Each structure stands twice: as structure tokens, then as C-alpha cells.
Amino acid sequence: MRTLAAFVLALAIAAGAAGADSGTLHSRLAGTFRVPGVVPGDSTAMVVALPSGRVVFARNADLSLEPASNEKLSVTYAALVELGAGYRFPTSLLGQGHRVGDTWEGRLILKGSGDPSLTSSSLKRLANILWREGIRHVTGGIAGDETSFDAKRTAPGWLASFAGNESPPLSALIVDRGAVGNRLVADPALAAARRFDQLLHKRGITARGAILHRAGPQAVTLATIYSDPLSQILQFMDHWSDNFTAEMVLKAIGLHAVGHGTTVAGADVVKRDLREAGIPVAGVHIADGSGLSRDDRVTARELTSLLVRIWNNPVMRKVVWNALAVAGQPGTLQNRLLDNPKHRLVRGKTGTTDISSALSGYVGTRYAFVTIENGNPVNYWAAHSAEDGVADALLDDLDG
């Protein structure tokens, strides 16, 4: 049965490609890659029709390449599968000890669950809740608990220069993206506890400094605040290609799906979700969530299959449609495709590292497309020329 299914699929792909080959669109798409600097063996592309997934154009569709931030597409999909569009990251204030009048006799513990959007304003809400409950003194100080995730601050396959430049340090408890003034902190959870201690004092609640401490089983929840819905967090992540958010979401996927808030666990879940959705994963390797890792690999066939899968799920389509950057609008496509009057019909995920350039997404409601170019270093001018050429050709075909 598997052999027969593969044979039928091959016939369908061949028929789609052959039908398009005789047309102007196929010729124009092929021509976009005939520019100096695009190396045939280091580039891949695929265009499919929506909603069927019929192949319109394919170039090295099974070539395994480094995706740059196109890696975030798979993370977006798995986050919607495992967490759901309405999921909100909780941050809790726990108490160890007991209350006597207006005093908490014992320690307060700020426990993070990986909210990448946690700010000082969020912690101020927690301080206000404690004030409204009548607490005015804390005898045991404030502790930060980041144990929902592991303590690794970067992801596998990152260059040393990426730490702090491409992403703040990763932690299940991190406030203001780890920034204090104009610098990044080395210990985000401790910095968060210190910040909360400061906010308590401003609110009129005295404590006794900040430490790191894991909440014990006897700790009770005193208050919990929640992030915006995951759909909005993904919108920020993909629209602006935010590496930090992608890595935090990947660890959260691992935490909720298998109980391990690690990059490796999250990556395993993402690949499992792709496989279970029938998305071809041959040649795919997921090492991190952002696409910074030199170990990441994708294929154009995988990503186009993923885009079709998302398109045919109404809930996912709405979230991803709003999350992708729009050509000519604020976001990573703001300065791309401006010469085409229909450029706003392109919604895509960009990808840029020293060795990879990519653009994948949708053109109107007719096409999904993937383009990736690798190099050492990659030729950005040539790569953008090919990527924008594909989108331009598809935009012009919308009237056909």
C-alpha cells in the first residue's frame, strides 16, 4: 500500500509540474533563479496551489538546507497544536510559610512558566494584588524560580556571538527580556526577583531582598497573572522574526507536551507533530526554535506541505495569516516587493543569517510558496532577487 500511495503521489506531482511547465508562469518562476550568485545546488523552491497543494513549480524540493528564520513556521504550527491559540503563559506568586495579620511569615516565590512577554508592568500587577490582599510585610524575602525550564541560556548549534546579540538569555522567569538599564543580566530569574522586590517596596510592602529558590510542594499560590493569548505572541514572533520568543515558545512546547522545558524536548515534539500531520520530514532536523542554529535543516517540500496544512485549518489559518509579515507594511517585509502594485497580497516569513536567506508564505489566496538559498556566505542580493522574483511572478499571475 505504501508503494502504491507513493506511486500515485509521484504521478500527481509529475502531472502538476508538467501542466505548469508548458505555461508562462512556470518559465518565469524558473527564470528567477538564473541570476548570478544563486548556486543551483544550494537553493530550493516550491510553489503549490491552494487549497489542494497541487505542485505548480519545484526546484530541488527535497534538498535539505539551513532555513534561517523559516524554522519559526514549524514552531508556530506545533505551538498551535500543543498549546492552542488562546493559551496564556502564567506567572505565579507562591508563598512558603503562613500569614499573620498583615505579615507573610516566610518567603514569597516568583515562579515563571516561560512567558517571553513578561514585563515590569506585569510584576506591578502582582504587587498590587498582594497589596489589595492586605499584605504589608514579608519576613523571608523574595525568591525567583525558573525551574519550569532548564538553565541553558542558548540553544544547540548557536555561534558564541549569538548570545545576547541575537537573543537575550533563555529562562522560564525573565522580565523585560532580561534588560536592566542598557545591559542584559547574566541571571534572569534573580534579576526578576530583585525587580519584584523593588516594586513591592514602591507599593509599600517591605521584604528582605532577593534570592534564587525552587518552590517546594508546600508552597501555596497567592496570585497569578497571565500573558496575552498565544496568537498575539506568535504574531509578534513571526511578524518581526523574534528569536527570543521562538526559543521560549519551543521550550514551552516541550514543557506542556512531555513535561520537559528544554530545547531538545520541544524540538522532538515539533517534529512529531509534523510527522503526525503527514508532513514529509525526510531531510528535516530541528535543533532550535529560531533558525539560528547551524544544525537546522528543512526542505521546500516540508514547508509547502506545512503551509497547506495550516491553510486548510481555519483556526490556524487566521492566526498565521495575521502573524506573517505583509510586503510593504511594518515588519520584516516592509521594504520588499514595493515595485509591484499588488505587493500587499504577499504574506511571508523571512529568514536571514550569514549562510541562509529564505522567504516562504502565501500570495493572495491562490498560492503557497517556499524559497531558500544557502551560501558561505550567502549572496543576499541574489537571494532576494530570486525570492522576490517568485513572489512577483505569482502576484502577476493572480489576474490570470
Side-chain angles (χ1 to χ4, degrees), residues 310-355:
I310 290 170
W311 185 265
N312 289 322
N313 181 307
V315 174
M316 288 189 180
R317 182 199 305 179
K318 181 178 180 180
V319 173
V320 175
W321 184 260
N322 290 329
L324 294 175
V326 181
Q329 299 297 299
T332 59
L333 283 175
Q334 184 167 1
N335 299 314
R336 304 276 292 270
L337 297 159
L338 299 183
D339 291 337
N340 194 309
K342 295 181 287 187
H343 60 263
R344 292 187 184 182
L345 294 177
V346 175
R347 291 178 180 253
K349 182 72 207 70
T350 58
T352 305
T353 64
D354 290 343
I355 57 177

